[in-house]
Amino acid sequence: MMEAIIEWLPKIASGIVLLIGLICFFKPQIIMDSCGIKMTNNMAISEVRGVFGGLNIGSAVAALYFADPTAYAVLAFAWTAVAAARFYSMAVDGSTAKESIAPIILDSSVAIMYFTGTGLF
């Protein structure tokens, strides 16, 4: 039973990443408003759609398509770096733990779920 759950964790992570990507692609204002980021021109909106939307959609679809430990490892390390960047931002930029905790939990959870599909642990 536990093995079946662990087998699904990278797929669940991909679903979460795909959802984030779709929101950023089709409704970038939702994500930017929640972060307090003002998009002042069309190029800013295009960047959100491309970077936050396109990369997340592409990586999630690739992980679901290949369903391979190597693909999961790449994404696990990438999401670990995202979480690490949030800690670095707290130290350097002065973002608070209160505003950073939810994104850190999300990023770390996605990384852990991808790591379960790698066979590294």
Side-chain angles (χ1 to χ4, degrees), residues 23-97:
I23 292 168
C24 291
F25 191 88
F26 291 109
K27 296 288 187 182
Q29 198 63 49
I30 292 172
I31 299 295
M32 296 303 101
D33 286 347
S34 70
C35 297
I37 298 171
K38 301 295 178 214
M39 295 185 294
T40 59
N41 60 44
N42 291 339
M43 190 61 199
I45 295 169
S46 178
E47 286 297 309
V48 172
R49 288 185 201 278
V51 175
F52 295 104
L55 279 174
N56 282 325
I57 292 169
S59 65
V61 169
L64 290 168
Y65 178 78
F66 290 110
D68 179 76
T70 304
Y72 297 149
V74 168
L75 293 171
F77 284 113
W79 280 92
T80 299
V82 172
R86 295 196 190 276
F87 282 108
Y88 180 78
S89 183
M90 286 192 315
V92 174
D93 303 324
S95 61
T96 65

